[in-house]
Amino acid sequence: AEEAKKSLHYEEHSLKVSYGKLSNLKAKVRTFVDESARLCRPANIHICDGSERELRHLINVMQQAGMIEPLPKYHNCWLTRTDPGDVARVESRTFIVTKEKRDTVPAGKEGVKGTLANWMSPEDLKEAVSQRFPGCMSGRTMYVVPYSMGPVGSPLSKIGVQVTDSPYVVASMRIMTRMGGQVLPTLGDEDFVKCLHSVGCPLPLKRPLVNNWPCDPTRTIVTHIPETNEIISFGSGYGGNSLLGKKCFALRLGSTIARREGWLAEHMLILGITNPQGVKRYIAAAFPSACGKTNLAMMTPSLPGYKIECVGDDIAWMKFDEDGVLRAINPENGFFGVAPGTSMKTNPVAMNTVLSNTIFTNVAKTSDGGIFWEGLEKETPNNVSIRSWLGDENWSAECGKPAAHPNSRFCTPASQCPIIDPDWESSKGVPISAILFGGRRPEGVPLVYEAFDWKHGVLVGAAMRSETTAAAEHKGKAIMHDPFAMRPFFGYNFGQYLTHWLSMEGRTTSSMPKIFHVNWFRKDDKGRFIWPGFGENVRVLDWILRRVEGDDVAEESAVGLLPRPGSLDLKGLDTSTLDTHELFRLPKGFWEQEVRAIAKYFDEQVGEDLPNEIREQLRRLEKRVEKM
Ligand code: GTP
Ligand code: SPV
Ligand code: MN
């Protein structure tokens, strides 16, 4: 009883507010804040308004804690280096919580480990929370972050409130979402997505921090409860684990909401493309993490007369409008982009975007106060020294270790992008004419092909595979199944997801976007990329646009419609070194194996939850491959 009284006493006095006013919060938000504070017992509460003054305060707090340092070469740019144990999404510790396992994971085959989402029961979640959260913010500030995914007040937007003990998360959410005071009046007393996040390092510390970056990698969990629209994340401060509006809300919970409401929440970039005749179309494209979305979305086209404009680089919410046209919004407000490989040569638009108001994570720093990563060698003065992300002061390429972590990132406001689309914040969204699927396929998969129809297109998405990357904890370069580039982001049973995709066609009397598959990453026998990629990818988009307009530039193959010889515009490319034959070659043996691998995957991972239409589509592919 004495214990209980003591803790009650603590609770009553624990709501010390250091910034903002609790009385400004409507009842539901207030309750969420109270409950979170009672559980996590922070030293004080900071209610975020999103102001400039608040940002200065956060930066000060972080600088004093040694969590960030300035990059004086640019305006208002900052560098964070994380604990090397907290550098990417942790897929093995990411869970969807439902009463029935089958609502999360497809039936699959007895004895085979399911790789399409991790399930956790509500009881296990309760246990996991009670082992981690009580007192987890002790001695720290709990920030209350109200935010909107999508423009504030748009009918397509949705609101979340995240509580977190990480000022880094707050500063990043301020870039990645519309965050702060203006969101609360819009929310009123409606329901919102409840996001609870802690880095899991109460004060006093039990072990010393590494790089002044609080985290608890051995106990990290990222959990989602679709039934109550809640996200509970513990132990990681990194990107997709901690900026809960992004993958957790906009994709995992988003996909469950989208299914319920009849729309799509996808891991897709959105770009506008205008051809030399002035015709403008919008394209959405799903590539797995670190497979080229940001680069395509901001591409500088090599073909004269073309213009690319960027709507979004990672997530698309797509709904039918009153005319049955599929329209997309980008729910985000910033880009959390892969740093390595980004340069004035490959992606000048991104380079020009990140020169102010940007938070860099795990990149290297030059002695003149600038940034460095793999790919910037030719753009970095010779007379500067480089400090690696791990802190080696005199890093040089000879040491054999990368200067920047392969999953190092920039976090930068979308509004700064020089080619941001004039309609990027349109509350109606932009009409989508084509959907692209793609991945890193070193072998066998052609540069581009078109699906025969919507159903075949859904198979193409379902059958996606790609080489693993540094965006998650996977080691080595295995070819992994990654259907719709959503494998780490499904919020519900993938079999039901396929049914939902198949149903989209029947929900409109307008025509659906055409579906294509692209592969910029085919390699020659020396292991070099055959296709130059980046700005040259516009040549593929040009062909796709002509197909969208109905031009007769395609011919049938076993896998789909390929460009008719000569129809891909290669003007200005050095065709003496470009092996176009190899780019489009369809080796029969490869495709036989591919079909077998897909069939095995569906059988083992989806089982009886696989829609019959998909089984039929795969059978037809198998037949066509047989006849090759
Ligand atoms: P996430 O943010 O993790 O979802 O990744 P993303 O899909 O946005 O990938 P991004 O555009 O950041 O590209 C990842 C890596 O692939 C970078 O190192 C790029 O330089 C490289 N890359 C992008 N496009 C191309 C291309 O057309 N060809 C080649 N060879 N590399 C590319
Ligand atoms: C991805 O991994 O697809 C990302 C980065 O966009 S993260 O925010 O970490 O998910
Ligand atoms: Mn992504």
Side-chain angles (χ1 to χ4, degrees), residues 330-360:
N330 168 16
E332 300 191 279
N333 193 43
F335 309 124
F336 186 62
V338 176
T342 312
S343 68
M344 287 308 282
K345 183 156 168 272
T346 58
N347 192 349
V349 171
M351 291 304 288
N352 289 326
T353 306
V354 302
L355 295 180
S356 57
N357 311 312
T358 298
I359 301 172
F360 295 90

Short mmCIF file of all heavy atoms in Angstrom, two decimals, residues 330-360:
data_model
loop_
_atom_site.label_atom_id
_atom_site.label_comp_id
_atom_site.label_asym_id
_atom_site.label_seq_id
_atom_site.Cartn_x
_atom_site.Cartn_y
_atom_site.Cartn_z
N ASN A 330 1.14 12.41 -51.79
CA ASN A 330 2.31 12.06 -50.99
C ASN A 330 2.01 12.48 -49.56
O ASN A 330 1.92 13.66 -49.28
CB ASN A 330 3.52 12.83 -51.53
CG ASN A 330 4.71 12.76 -50.58
OD1 ASN A 330 4.75 11.93 -49.68
ND2 ASN A 330 5.68 13.65 -50.79
N PRO A 331 1.84 11.52 -48.64
CA PRO A 331 1.48 11.92 -47.28
C PRO A 331 2.62 12.60 -46.52
O PRO A 331 2.40 13.18 -45.46
CB PRO A 331 1.10 10.59 -46.61
CG PRO A 331 1.76 9.53 -47.41
CD PRO A 331 1.89 10.06 -48.80
N GLU A 332 3.83 12.56 -47.08
CA GLU A 332 4.98 13.10 -46.35
C GLU A 332 5.25 14.56 -46.72
O GLU A 332 4.70 15.10 -47.69
CB GLU A 332 6.23 12.26 -46.64
CG GLU A 332 6.05 10.80 -46.21
CD GLU A 332 7.36 10.04 -46.24
OE1 GLU A 332 7.79 9.60 -47.31
OE2 GLU A 332 7.95 9.90 -45.16
N ASN A 333 6.16 15.14 -45.95
CA ASN A 333 6.50 16.56 -46.12
C ASN A 333 7.99 16.75 -46.38
O ASN A 333 8.46 17.86 -46.53
CB ASN A 333 6.09 17.31 -44.83
CG ASN A 333 6.10 18.79 -44.99
OD1 ASN A 333 5.63 19.32 -45.99
ND2 ASN A 333 6.64 19.49 -44.00
N GLY A 334 8.72 15.63 -46.40
CA GLY A 334 10.17 15.71 -46.58
C GLY A 334 10.68 14.44 -47.21
O GLY A 334 9.91 13.51 -47.47
N PHE A 335 11.99 14.40 -47.44
CA PHE A 335 12.64 13.21 -48.00
C PHE A 335 13.63 12.67 -46.97
O PHE A 335 14.47 13.43 -46.47
CB PHE A 335 13.40 13.55 -49.29
CG PHE A 335 12.58 14.30 -50.31
CD1 PHE A 335 13.02 15.53 -50.81
CD2 PHE A 335 11.38 13.78 -50.79
CE1 PHE A 335 12.28 16.22 -51.77
CE2 PHE A 335 10.63 14.46 -51.75
CZ PHE A 335 11.08 15.69 -52.24
N PHE A 336 13.53 11.37 -46.68
CA PHE A 336 14.52 10.71 -45.83
C PHE A 336 15.29 9.81 -46.79
O PHE A 336 14.97 8.63 -46.95
CB PHE A 336 13.80 9.92 -44.72
CG PHE A 336 14.71 9.32 -43.69
CD1 PHE A 336 15.53 10.11 -42.90
CD2 PHE A 336 14.75 7.95 -43.50
CE1 PHE A 336 16.37 9.54 -41.95
CE2 PHE A 336 15.59 7.37 -42.55
CZ PHE A 336 16.40 8.17 -41.77
N GLY A 337 16.29 10.39 -47.45
CA GLY A 337 16.88 9.74 -48.61
C GLY A 337 18.23 9.10 -48.32
O GLY A 337 18.99 9.55 -47.47
N VAL A 338 18.54 8.04 -49.08
CA VAL A 338 19.85 7.38 -49.01
C VAL A 338 20.92 8.37 -49.47
O VAL A 338 20.84 8.91 -50.57
CB VAL A 338 19.87 6.15 -49.93
CG1 VAL A 338 21.25 5.50 -49.94
CG2 VAL A 338 18.81 5.14 -49.52
N ALA A 339 21.97 8.57 -48.66
CA ALA A 339 23.03 9.50 -49.03
C ALA A 339 24.03 8.91 -50.04
O ALA A 339 24.24 9.49 -51.11
CB ALA A 339 23.74 10.01 -47.79
N PRO A 340 24.62 7.73 -49.74
CA PRO A 340 25.65 7.24 -50.67
C PRO A 340 25.12 7.09 -52.09
O PRO A 340 23.99 6.66 -52.30
CB PRO A 340 26.05 5.89 -50.07
CG PRO A 340 25.73 6.00 -48.62
CD PRO A 340 24.49 6.85 -48.57
N GLY A 341 25.96 7.45 -53.04
CA GLY A 341 25.55 7.38 -54.44
C GLY A 341 24.93 8.66 -54.94
O GLY A 341 24.80 8.87 -56.15
N THR A 342 24.52 9.54 -54.02
CA THR A 342 23.92 10.82 -54.43
C THR A 342 25.05 11.81 -54.74
O THR A 342 25.92 12.03 -53.91
CB THR A 342 23.03 11.38 -53.30
OG1 THR A 342 22.18 10.34 -52.83
CG2 THR A 342 22.21 12.55 -53.78
N SER A 343 25.02 12.40 -55.93
CA SER A 343 26.06 13.36 -56.29
C SER A 343 25.52 14.32 -57.35
O SER A 343 24.42 14.12 -57.85
CB SER A 343 27.29 12.64 -56.86
OG SER A 343 26.96 12.06 -58.12
N MET A 344 26.31 15.34 -57.67
CA MET A 344 25.89 16.28 -58.71
C MET A 344 25.75 15.57 -60.06
O MET A 344 25.00 15.98 -60.92
CB MET A 344 26.87 17.45 -58.84
CG MET A 344 26.81 18.43 -57.69
SD MET A 344 25.15 19.05 -57.32
CE MET A 344 24.94 20.27 -58.62
N LYS A 345 26.47 14.47 -60.21
CA LYS A 345 26.38 13.73 -61.45
C LYS A 345 25.12 12.86 -61.49
O LYS A 345 24.39 12.86 -62.47
CB LYS A 345 27.64 12.86 -61.60
CG LYS A 345 27.70 12.09 -62.89
CD LYS A 345 29.15 11.74 -63.24
CE LYS A 345 29.17 10.73 -64.37
NZ LYS A 345 29.11 9.33 -63.90
N THR A 346 24.86 12.12 -60.40
CA THR A 346 23.73 11.19 -60.42
C THR A 346 22.41 11.88 -60.09
O THR A 346 21.38 11.56 -60.67
CB THR A 346 23.94 10.05 -59.40
OG1 THR A 346 24.11 10.61 -58.09
CG2 THR A 346 25.14 9.20 -59.77
N ASN A 347 22.42 12.80 -59.11
CA ASN A 347 21.17 13.40 -58.66
C ASN A 347 21.38 14.84 -58.18
O ASN A 347 21.30 15.14 -56.99
CB ASN A 347 20.56 12.54 -57.53
CG ASN A 347 19.13 12.94 -57.21
OD1 ASN A 347 18.65 13.97 -57.67
ND2 ASN A 347 18.45 12.13 -56.42
N PRO A 348 21.65 15.74 -59.14
CA PRO A 348 21.91 17.13 -58.77
C PRO A 348 20.72 17.78 -58.05
O PRO A 348 20.91 18.63 -57.18
CB PRO A 348 22.17 17.82 -60.11
CG PRO A 348 21.64 16.89 -61.17
CD PRO A 348 21.74 15.52 -60.59
N VAL A 349 19.51 17.34 -58.35
CA VAL A 349 18.33 17.94 -57.71
C VAL A 349 18.35 17.65 -56.21
O VAL A 349 18.13 18.54 -55.38
CB VAL A 349 17.03 17.43 -58.36
CG1 VAL A 349 15.82 17.87 -57.57
CG2 VAL A 349 16.94 17.90 -59.81
N ALA A 350 18.67 16.40 -55.85
CA ALA A 350 18.75 16.07 -54.42
C ALA A 350 19.89 16.85 -53.78
O ALA A 350 19.74 17.39 -52.68
CB ALA A 350 18.96 14.57 -54.23
N MET A 351 21.03 16.94 -54.46
CA MET A 351 22.17 17.68 -53.89
C MET A 351 21.77 19.13 -53.61
O MET A 351 22.11 19.68 -52.56
CB MET A 351 23.38 17.64 -54.83
CG MET A 351 24.03 16.27 -54.97
SD MET A 351 24.56 15.54 -53.42
CE MET A 351 25.97 16.54 -52.98
N ASN A 352 21.04 19.73 -54.54
CA ASN A 352 20.64 21.12 -54.33
C ASN A 352 19.55 21.26 -53.26
O ASN A 352 19.38 22.33 -52.69
CB ASN A 352 20.18 21.74 -55.64
CG ASN A 352 21.36 21.97 -56.58
OD1 ASN A 352 22.47 22.28 -56.12
ND2 ASN A 352 21.15 21.78 -57.87
N THR A 353 18.83 20.18 -53.02
CA THR A 353 17.78 20.23 -51.99
C THR A 353 18.38 20.21 -50.58
O THR A 353 17.89 20.88 -49.67
CB THR A 353 16.82 19.02 -52.15
OG1 THR A 353 16.33 19.00 -53.48
CG2 THR A 353 15.65 19.11 -51.18
N VAL A 354 19.48 19.46 -50.41
CA VAL A 354 19.97 19.20 -49.04
C VAL A 354 20.96 20.24 -48.50
O VAL A 354 21.49 20.06 -47.42
CB VAL A 354 20.62 17.79 -48.94
CG1 VAL A 354 19.63 16.71 -49.34
CG2 VAL A 354 21.89 17.70 -49.79
N LEU A 355 21.17 21.32 -49.25
CA LEU A 355 22.20 22.28 -48.82
C LEU A 355 21.75 23.23 -47.71
O LEU A 355 22.52 24.07 -47.25
CB LEU A 355 22.71 23.07 -50.02
CG LEU A 355 23.45 22.19 -51.05
CD1 LEU A 355 23.95 23.01 -52.22
CD2 LEU A 355 24.60 21.43 -50.38
N SER A 356 20.51 23.12 -47.26
CA SER A 356 20.06 23.91 -46.10
C SER A 356 18.99 23.14 -45.34
O SER A 356 18.33 22.25 -45.91
CB SER A 356 19.51 25.27 -46.57
OG SER A 356 18.45 25.08 -47.49
N ASN A 357 18.84 23.47 -44.07
CA ASN A 357 17.75 22.94 -43.23
C ASN A 357 17.65 21.41 -43.25
O ASN A 357 16.54 20.86 -43.27
CB ASN A 357 16.41 23.54 -43.66
CG ASN A 357 16.47 25.05 -43.77
OD1 ASN A 357 16.97 25.72 -42.87
ND2 ASN A 357 16.00 25.59 -44.88
N THR A 358 18.80 20.75 -43.27
CA THR A 358 18.81 19.30 -43.44
C THR A 358 19.53 18.62 -42.27
O THR A 358 20.53 19.14 -41.78
CB THR A 358 19.50 18.94 -44.78
OG1 THR A 358 18.73 19.52 -45.84
CG2 THR A 358 19.62 17.44 -44.99
N ILE A 359 18.99 17.49 -41.85
CA ILE A 359 19.66 16.67 -40.84
C ILE A 359 20.26 15.45 -41.54
O ILE A 359 19.54 14.69 -42.18
CB ILE A 359 18.68 16.20 -39.75
CG1 ILE A 359 18.03 17.40 -39.05
CG2 ILE A 359 19.40 15.30 -38.72
CD1 ILE A 359 16.91 17.01 -38.09
N PHE A 360 21.58 15.32 -41.44
CA PHE A 360 22.26 14.15 -42.01
C PHE A 360 22.54 13.15 -40.90
O PHE A 360 22.89 13.54 -39.79
CB PHE A 360 23.58 14.57 -42.65
CG PHE A 360 23.42 15.49 -43.83
CD1 PHE A 360 23.38 16.87 -43.66
CD2 PHE A 360 23.29 14.98 -45.12
CE1 PHE A 360 23.23 17.73 -44.75
CE2 PHE A 360 23.14 15.83 -46.21
CZ PHE A 360 23.11 17.20 -46.03
#
